């Protein structure tokens, strides 16, 4: 017989004492109680085992009772052992065990009171057991880490393989439920398969009823408010189907009510409020309705790591494969082409957006239709999203639907990946009918108009220029330094020429005066020469010289030669030159006298002197 | 033309950028055109291609800027107008109550080539005056022909001079710009915390009125005005 703890040793002593005072049938009587741990948490359960050995058949055992503890479950088992030793008679023992699943109601150093056994009018008591209770949970006792669960697992033979891929045979672990105080027979339990994820990663929320009583029906279920999550139903049983589960050593029937995949859409610690359910227990008229509230939950959501491709949505989390399915790549003008952009994989299928199909303007792409096929496996949401486009070629030629890309965060690899498709080339040809024959009637014309045409429309970007005339950046011409001077230069030149002309005119006028003076001076000189001829015998030469002198003088004073002019003309020019009448008369007298002297004999010396004086007088004082 | 590249090298860079555009490698195409511009081998053709590339790339602000610069340097062209129309169609902003026509002088200067006007004026003006000089100096028999030619040149010089003055005035007083920032807040005062009057978006053409600190006062075609950050706009 295995006894644990010091309490067991005390119990042996008690048993021996009882043996000493017992009747003959009670010679081998033993009665003691033990606990499976001496230190527990207030949320932990522990086992109290009460053992009787060779107790009389009418013995009645009363388990210990205390307000400090609650009994969650109790069971009784009996066994008979037979042993031989030293060739003597066989030793037969009847052993009865009472196993109580208990939980402390408070923390502290608590005492489990003695158990009592009544037999043959006598009362036997075990020793009390001391227990140290701490607040909260301490987990299962050492060496029994999985003792609370019946689902013990075999060791994984592939545990040491360096693969990070998830084991498809691994059940998603759910945390150990805590039996609530007061409602330990029937309680509602919400649980998550994980409580720490990244944005967009799936968490599975399960809602169970744990019951040790018979259930009739679940009348109403109010699921938690899932703010900050995108939810997807994974499992929603229509009939209650329980499975055996042991919670802290207490057997329960666990009924799944709902299972949902929830995808956090933002980072932070997100709360999940408690679920509620109205449950009817018992059968027929004996049943009664109870209301149960589950536990609340929290999920720690980390943001996606840095380095995300630009424009990537937070919903693009999981493991995805992108493909493009084209109904035909060689098509006649006017025939539609169906292009399916298929995104499939594990993740939030209904919240991912496959990349948009684009194409050249020659291909008219109509608005797509989207269809989803979600097929959760082992509680993981997966499936495919298909976006179907209708593409209508508008022109003949060869056109390319460009490659598509879908960036996503791969949770398994812990990094960003990009799912890609290859570009697709479409060849659009003229219809099989070839060129339309010349229409011969209005009906034919209408038919021809309705046929598909090679539509050549404007719109879209004009192409780049294939040739360039390179121009260095330059200032505007009028801002360059030479511009204004060059524009002003002719003006300056004109002004200069005009100025020069004026000066030259003035200069020329002045020279003409001087010429006149010189001519007058020459005339006077010639008159002086004539005076020398006055006494000579050549009268004609004298008068000729006087006339020349006077003509020279008149030419100088009247601004032009007067030789050859008649006296009337000379008189007019003098009048025009505003010569005084006396001077005019003197000039005309001298000219007339010269003519007379040269051709009429010349007169005497006095007459010549008179002509000489008249000529000198005419010149004298004429500026 | 002297510069960083020989004409052959510049043409090679240009063709490679065109090839990059054709295979939709817009980043490489843009890099090629910008390289040409920064090395002094620009011009309306390079600017047009740069604007078209940026438009294909989706950078509306810089696309409009390059296309407007191409228009300013090389005048109107059908492909340029078509791509500018595409850019305008993609703009977020719709200026309501905009004047039907642009102001007269900017419209006139936009329709004429400033350099051509300047050279025309200079040639006709100088020629007319020189002929006038020749007329004065020439003999009476030749004066009529010289005088007539001088008068004709003066008739060309006078309107081209007026047009040149308009160009000089517009260049000095009218400063147009394009919004580059995706969203630009126009405020009541040139202060970061001043009340917001309206917002403009990339690609909108505005007029710059004055500048103070890091703020510039802009006017929309419909007369709406506000102060906005200088970095958000770029002068054409």
């Amino acid at each position: 017989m295995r006894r644990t703890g010091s309490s067991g040793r005390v119990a042996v002593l008690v048993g021996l004492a009882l043996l000493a005072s017992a009747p003959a049938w009670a010679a081998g009587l033993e009665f003691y109680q033990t606990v499976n741990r001496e230190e527990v948490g207030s949320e932990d359960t522990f086992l109290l085992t009460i053992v009787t050995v060779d107790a009389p058949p009418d013995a009645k055992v009363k388990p210990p009772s205390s307000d400090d503890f609650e009994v969650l479950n109790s069971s009784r088992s009996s066994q008979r052992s037979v042993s031989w030793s030293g060739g003597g008679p066989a030793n037969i023992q009847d052993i009865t065990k009472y196993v109580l699943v208990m939980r402390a109601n408070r923390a502290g150093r608590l005492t489990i009171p003695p158990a009592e056994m009544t037999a043959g009018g006598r009362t036997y008591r075990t020793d009390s057991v001391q227990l140290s209770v701490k607040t909260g949970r301490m987990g299962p006792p050492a060496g029994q880490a999985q003792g609370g669960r019946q689902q013990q697992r075999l060791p994984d033979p592939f545990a040491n393989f360096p693969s990070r891929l998830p084991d498809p045979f691994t059940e998603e672990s759910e945390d150990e439920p805590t039996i609530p105080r007061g409602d330990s027979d029937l309680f509602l339990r919400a649980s998550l398969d994980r409580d720490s994820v990244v944005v967009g990663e799936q968490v599975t929320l399960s809602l169970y009823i744990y019951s040790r009583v018979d259930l009739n029906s679940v009348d109403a279920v109010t699921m938690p408010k899932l703010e900050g999550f995108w939810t997807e139903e994974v499992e929603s049983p229509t009939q209650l189907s329980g499975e055996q589960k042991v919670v802290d050593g207490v057997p329960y029937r666990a009924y799944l009510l709902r299972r949902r995949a929830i995808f956090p859409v933002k980072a932070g610690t997100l709360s999940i409020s408690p679920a509620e359910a109205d449950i009817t227990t018992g059968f027929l008229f004996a049943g009664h309705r109870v209301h149960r509230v589950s536990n609340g939950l929290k999920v720690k959501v980390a943001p996606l790591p840095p380095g995300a491709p630009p424009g990537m949505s937070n919903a693009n989390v999981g493991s995805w494969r992108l493909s493009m399915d084209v109904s035909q790549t060689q098509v006649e003008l006017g025939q539609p082409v169906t292009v399916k952009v298929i995104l499939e994989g594990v993740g939030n299928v209904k919240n991912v957006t496959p990349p948009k199909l684009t194409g050249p303007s020659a291909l008219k792409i109509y608005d797509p239709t989207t269809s989803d096929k979600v097929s959760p496996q082992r509680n993981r949401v997966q499936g495919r999203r298909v976006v179907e486009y209708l593409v209508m070629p508008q022109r003949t030629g060869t056109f390319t639907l460009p490659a598509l890309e879908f960036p996503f965060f791969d949770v398994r690899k812990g990094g960003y990946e990009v799912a890609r498709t290859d570009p697709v080339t479409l060849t659009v040809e003229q219809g099989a009918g070839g060129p339309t024959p010349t229409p011969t009637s209005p009906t034919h014309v209408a038919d021809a108009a309705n046929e598909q045409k090679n539509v050549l429309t404007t719109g879209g970007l004009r192409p780049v220029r294939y040739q360039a005339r390179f121009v260095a950046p330059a200032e505007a011409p009028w801002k360059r330094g030479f511009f204004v001077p060059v524009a002003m230069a002719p003006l300056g030149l004109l002004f200069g020429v005009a100025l020069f002309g004026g000066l030259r005119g003035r200069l020329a006028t002045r020279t003409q005066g001087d010429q006149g003076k010189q001519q007058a001076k020459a005339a006077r000189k010639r008159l002086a020469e004539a005076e020398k001829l006055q006494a000579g015998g050549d009268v004609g030469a004298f008068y000729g010289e006087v006339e020349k002198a006077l003509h020279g003088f008149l030419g100088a004073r009247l601004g032009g030669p007067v030789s050859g002019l008649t006296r009337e003309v000379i008189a007019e020019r003098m009048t025009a030159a505003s010569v005084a009448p006396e001077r005019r008369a003197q000039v005309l007298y001298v000219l007339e006298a010269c003519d007379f002297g040269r051709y009429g004999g010349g007169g005497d010396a006095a007459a010549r002197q008179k002509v000489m004086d008249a000529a000198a007088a005419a010149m004298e004082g004429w500026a | 033309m002297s510069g960083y590249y020989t004409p052959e090298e510049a043409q090679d860079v240009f063709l490679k950028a065109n090839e990059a555009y054709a295979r939709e490698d817009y980043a490489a195409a843009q890099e090629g055109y910008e390289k040409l511009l920064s090395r002094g081998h620009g011009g309306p053709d390079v600017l047009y291609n740069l604007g078209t590339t940026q438009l294909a790339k989706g950078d509306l602000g810089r696309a409009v800027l390059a296309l407007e610069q191409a228009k300013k340097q090389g005048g109107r062209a059908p492909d340029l107008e078509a791509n500018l129309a595409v850019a305008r169609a993609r703009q977020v902003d719709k200026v309501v109550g905009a004047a039907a026509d642009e102001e007269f002088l900017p419209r006139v200067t936009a329709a004429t080539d400033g350099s051509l006007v300047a050279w025309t004026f200079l040639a006709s003006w100088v020629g007319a005056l020189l002929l006038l000089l020749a007329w004065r100096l020439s003999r009476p028999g030749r004066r009529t022909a010289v005088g007539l030619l001088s008068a004709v040149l003066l008739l060309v010089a006078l309107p081209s001079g007026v047009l040149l003055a308009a160009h000089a005035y517009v260049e000095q007083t009218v400063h147009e710009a394009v919004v580059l920032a995706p969203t630009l807040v126009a405020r009541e005062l040139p202060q970061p915390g001043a009340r917001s009057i309206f917002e403009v978006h990339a690609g909108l053409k505005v007029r710059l009125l004055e500048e103070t600190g890091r703020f510039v006062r802009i006017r929309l075609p419909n007369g709406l005005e506000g102060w906005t950050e200088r970095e958000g706009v770029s002068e054409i």
Side-chain angles (χ1 to χ4, degrees):
Chain A
M1 182 178 295
R2 182 169 172 263
R3 300 168 184 170
T4 57
S6 59
S7 302
R9 287 191 295 272
V10 175
V12 170
L13 294 175
V14 172
L16 291 173
L18 287 171
L19 278 175
S21 58
W25 51 264
L29 178 64
E30 291 183 34
F31 181 51
Y32 59 89
Q33 63 180 6
T34 61
V35 289
N36 64 335
R37 53 200 297 189
E38 295 174 354
E39 194 172 57
V40 294
S42 59
E43 299 297 325
D44 293 327
T45 58
F46 61 93
L47 301 180
L48 174 70
T49 307
I50 304 168
V51 182
T52 64
V53 181
D54 291 337
D58 62 340
K60 289 185 177 176
V61 174
K62 184 184 174 190
S65 175
S66 167
D67 291 339
D68 289 338
F69 299 93
E70 63 175 332
V71 178
L72 299 175
N73 191 35
S74 64
S75 62
R76 177 178 180 276
S77 63
S78 300
Q79 67 181 73
R80 172 168 290 176
S81 67
V82 181
S83 61
W84 288 269
S85 59
N91 184 21
I92 300 171
Q93 282 189 317
D94 287 319
I95 303 168
T96 302
K97 286 185 179 177
Y98 300 86
V99 179
L100 279 69
V101 180
M102 300 180 71
R103 185 167 58 186
N105 289 332
R106 64 181 178 88
R109 187 75 184 169
L110 304 181
T111 302
I112 300 173
E116 291 180 2
M117 181 175 71
T118 308
R122 291 190 60 179
T123 300
Y124 303 90
R125 285 187 178 82
T126 66
D127 202 356
S128 60
V129 178
Q130 295 287 321
L131 205 60
S132 173
V133 181
K134 294 186 174 175
T135 306
R137 238 179 204 286
M138 293 184 64
Q144 300 179 26
Q146 294 179 337
R149 281 182 174 264
Q150 282 192 338
Q151 297 171 348
Q152 302 231 353
R153 290 178 187 154
L154 293 172
D156 181 4
F158 306 106
N160 294 327
F161 277 57
S163 170
R164 298 191 63 192
L165 294 175
D167 181 0
F169 303 106
T170 304
E171 284 273 1
E172 293 293 344
S173 62
E174 291 176 357
D175 59 346
E176 178 79 8
T178 303
I179 300 170
R181 297 182 193 280
D183 294 329
S184 59
D185 284 344
L186 176 65
F187 62 93
L188 202 57
R189 168 74 186 173
S191 63
L192 300 172
D193 63 337
R194 65 191 73 183
D195 59 3
S196 181
V197 292
V198 295
V199 172
E201 186 181 357
Q202 180 183 335
V203 181
T204 307
L205 169 67
S206 303
L207 184 63
Y208 278 97
I209 295 175
Y210 284 82
S211 175
R212 289 194 296 169
V213 296
D214 292 325
L215 292 189
N216 187 338
S217 63
V218 178
D219 302 319
V221 178
T222 306
M223 287 300 284
K225 289 179 182 173
L226 295 166
E227 289 178 2
F229 294 94
W230 174 287
T231 65
E232 195 68 43
E233 197 84 62
V234 174
E235 207 173 342
S236 181
T238 53
Q239 288 186 333
L240 289 175
S241 174
E243 58 176 321
Q244 190 74 28
K245 280 193 177 180
V246 176
V247 181
D248 286 339
V250 182
Y252 280 92
R253 294 289 293 177
Y255 302 89
L256 176 66
L257 286 183
R258 299 277 189 279
R259 178 168 282 141
R260 281 188 177 175
I262 58 175
F263 299 89
V265 295
K266 61 181 180 182
T269 302
L270 305 182
S271 298
I272 300 172
S273 61
E276 297 180 24
D278 291 328
I279 305 160
T280 303
T281 62
F283 290 103
L284 298 176
F285 304 108
H288 70 282
R289 195 173 182 178
V290 294
H291 182 78
R292 290 290 182 267
V293 178
S294 79
N295 52 311
L297 297 166
K298 285 188 186 300
V299 184
K300 287 171 73 175
V301 184
L304 291 176
M312 196 194 91
S313 165
N314 275 353
N316 297 6
V317 176
S319 177
W320 298 100
R321 192 169 62 257
L322 185 68
S323 59
M324 189 153 58
D325 180 30
V326 183
S327 60
Q328 48 191 336
T329 56
Q330 194 155 0
V331 65
E332 289 182 359
L333 194 63
Q335 285 187 344
V337 178
T338 304
V339 180
K340 292 178 181 173
V341 177
I342 304 164
L343 187 63
E344 54 189 331
V346 179
N348 193 356
V349 175
K350 289 187 176 176
N351 196 31
V352 290
T353 306
K356 189 180 177 186
L357 180 71
T358 57
S361 59
L363 302 175
K364 188 173 183 181
I365 301 173
Y366 289 89
D367 288 341
T369 56
T370 303
S371 59
D372 299 322
K373 184 180 178 186
V374 181
S375 49
Q377 287 188 5
R378 306 187 70 81
N379 300 333
R380 309 303 296 172
V381 173
Q382 52 190 292
R384 59 168 20 196
R385 168 162 271 206
V386 180
V387 182
E388 189 173 321
Y389 294 88
L390 188 70
V391 177
M392 185 69 84
Q394 304 285 301
R395 296 184 207 165
T396 56
T398 302
F399 308 103
T400 302
L401 293 170
L404 300 178
E405 292 186 348
F406 180 78
F408 63 93
F409 180 72
D410 193 327
V411 179
R412 292 180 304 171
K413 296 179 180 174
Y416 291 97
E417 299 282 326
V418 179
R420 290 185 174 87
T421 66
D422 291 326
V424 174
T425 302
L426 285 182
T427 304
V428 183
E429 297 171 332
Q430 191 180 349
T436 312
T438 309
T440 55
S441 68
T443 313
H444 287 147
V445 172
D447 290 345
N450 289 332
E451 283 182 2
Q452 274 298 327
K453 303 291 185 187
N454 185 30
V455 183
L456 304 172
T457 56
T458 58
L461 278 182
R462 296 291 177 90
V464 292
R465 294 175 184 169
Y466 74 99
Q467 273 186 332
R469 186 175 56 86
F470 300 110
V471 180
E475 242 184 345
W478 62 87
K479 292 174 90 175
R480 297 187 201 173
F482 69 87
F483 193 86
V484 173
V486 170
M488 298 307 289
L491 272 181
L493 194 60
L494 267 180
F495 180 73
V497 166
L499 191 66
F500 176 73
L503 286 173
R504 197 180 65 168
R506 288 185 66 184
L507 196 63
T509 306
R510 192 180 301 155
T511 308
Q512 214 170 14
D514 291 348
Q515 249 180 354
K517 282 179 183 174
Q518 283 174 357
Q519 281 177 343
K521 194 176 176 182
R524 286 193 185 96
K525 197 174 178 181
R526 176 163 274 183
L527 192 61
E529 291 295 327
E531 199 172 3
K532 291 176 185 173
L533 295 175
Q534 189 178 350
D538 192 353
V539 179
F542 166 74
Y543 282 112
E545 199 65 25
V546 172
E547 188 180 42
K548 282 180 184 173
L550 189 58
H551 275 159
F553 185 82
L554 286 174
R557 286 293 180 255
L558 295 178
V562 294
S563 298
L565 298 180
T566 61
R567 284 193 290 275
E568 287 77 17
V569 174
I570 292 171
E572 283 173 10
R573 287 189 62 178
M574 284 192 293
T575 306
S578 305
V579 179
E582 296 81 20
R583 197 177 297 275
R584 285 204 307 262
Q586 279 179 329
V587 168
L588 291 175
Y589 164 72
V590 171
L591 290 177
E592 193 175 353
C594 285
D595 279 349
F596 183 75
R598 276 194 299 170
Y599 304 112
D604 53 8
R608 288 197 294 271
Q609 184 60 48
K610 188 179 176 184
V611 169
M612 190 70 188
D613 292 343
M619 290 182 195
E620 215 43 56
W622 192 347
Chain B
M1 181 179 187
S2 63
Y4 186 85
Y5 295 122
T6 63
E8 292 75 23
E9 287 172 336
Q11 190 65 28
D12 188 48
V13 173
F14 184 75
L15 290 177
K16 280 180 179 164
N18 281 0
E19 285 166 10
Y21 177 86
R23 63 173 185 272
E24 298 184 359
D25 186 357
Y26 299 128
Q30 180 184 337
E31 188 185 346
Y33 298 132
E34 285 178 342
K35 206 185 284 181
L36 284 171
L37 287 167
S38 65
R39 303 279 159 79
H41 296 266
D45 299 322
V46 179
L47 282 167
Y48 166 81
N49 282 11
L50 175 63
T52 304
T53 302
Q54 281 165 330
L55 200 52
K57 196 180 157 192
D59 190 346
L60 193 58
R62 284 181 175 75
V64 173
L65 178 66
L67 291 174
E68 289 285 356
Q69 285 172 336
K71 189 176 172 183
K72 191 176 181 181
Q73 288 190 18
R76 294 172 187 273
D79 53 357
L80 178 62
E81 292 297 329
N83 285 355
L84 266 175
V86 171
R88 286 191 200 105
R90 290 185 190 172
Q91 280 172 21
V92 176
D93 300 315
K94 181 185 178 186
V95 181
V96 179
D101 292 320
E102 233 179 326
E103 287 174 36
F104 178 70
L105 281 183
R107 200 149 41 94
V108 167
T109 54
T112 51
D113 184 347
S115 295
L116 183 66
V117 167
W119 291 122
T120 304
F121 165 75
L122 193 64
S124 57
W125 172 251
V126 171
L129 293 183
L130 288 178
L131 284 173
L132 200 62
L133 193 64
W135 175 82
R136 186 184 167 90
L137 298 178
S138 61
R139 277 184 270 173
R142 289 184 177 177
R143 282 190 165 184
T144 310
V146 173
L148 277 175
L149 195 54
S150 176
V152 168
L153 287 180
L154 268 179
L155 280 177
V156 174
L158 287 175
S160 60
V162 172
L163 207 49
L164 177 63
H167 271 276
Y169 172 78
V170 168
E171 199 201 19
Q172 191 67 28
T173 57
V174 178
H175 301 280
E176 289 186 313
V178 173
V179 177
L180 295 184
T183 301
L184 197 60
V185 180
R187 302 182 184 281
E188 211 166 35
L189 295 167
Q191 296 162 2
R195 191 171 70 88
S196 163
I197 307 173
F198 57 90
E199 282 186 355
V200 289
H201 301 86
L204 186 68
K205 197 171 158 185
V206 296
R207 183 168 293 180
L208 304 180
L209 300 179
E210 59 180 312
E211 189 169 359
T212 175
R214 62 187 182 91
F215 281 86
V216 66
R217 190 154 67 96
I218 60 169
R219 178 189 289 163
L220 271 49
N222 63 355
L224 209 55
E225 291 182 8
W227 290 91
T228 189
E229 293 190 11
R230 183 73 184 81
E231 292 75 28
V233 294
S234 182
E235 195 167 346
I236 296 168

